Amino acid sequence: MEEYIVFMRLDLLTKDAQPSPEQMQVYMKQYQDWVSGIAAQNKFAGGKGLATEGKVITSNDVVTDGPFVEIKESIAGFIIVKAASLDEATELARGCPILKGADNSVEIRKISTVHPAS
């Protein structure tokens, strides 16, 4: 089994796109159920949510508030899944409840080792 990261992208900044507290409870339950289903298959390797605040450093050493303040879509968080292939990881990611929101998306990428373990 290989590890794949699933980035969850959605609009975290536009006020009208934000759920009410009640909606957020429903969404969190759907998310927890989705992750629990992956964990029940022994394919969940971890994950985290991300804050909306951050910084971006460009190649010419310009630091701006980020991430990507010029676009609405932000990476809200990620999970890491274990799968035999990118296709299998994609099938696991298809169940992500974030995909129920308009213009939301997930990105699936294989985690490759660039740096040797110390």
Side-chain angles (χ1 to χ4, degrees):
M1 292 264 188
E2 301 284 346
E3 289 188 332
Y4 294 83
I5 191 164
V6 178
F7 292 108
M8 294 167 267
R9 299 178 191 274
L10 62 146
D11 182 351
L12 294 173
L13 304 176
T14 305
K15 185 175 182 174
D16 291 342
Q18 304 315 304
S20 70
E22 295 80 18
Q23 289 171 316
M24 182 58 83
Q25 284 183 336
V26 171
Y27 297 158
M28 290 307 296
K29 171 81 168 86
Q30 292 172 343
Y31 174 79
Q32 290 166 350
D33 289 348
W34 172 62
V35 170
S36 293
I38 294 170
Q41 298 173 60
N42 235 7
K43 294 184 178 181
F44 179 73
K48 298 284 182 183
L50 301 174
T52 56
E53 303 83 30
K55 297 286 183 184
V56 174
I57 305 171
T58 63
S59 60
N60 56 351
D61 202 32
V62 174
V63 178
T64 59
D65 289 335
F68 307 108
V69 293
E70 67 276 2
I71 60 173
K72 295 187 302 182
E73 183 182 76
S74 299
I75 298 175
F78 67 91
I79 66 167
I80 298 172
V81 298
K82 296 181 272 187
S85 67
L86 179 57
D87 288 340
E88 181 184 1
T90 300
E91 284 305 310
L92 293 170
R94 275 187 200 274
C96 181
I98 281 178
L99 294 171
K100 295 177 182 178
D103 300 320
N104 294 350
S105 65
V106 296
E107 176 182 348
I108 305 99
R109 310 240 338 242
K110 182 178 177 182
I111 298 174
S112 61
T113 304
V114 176
H115 306 285
S118 47

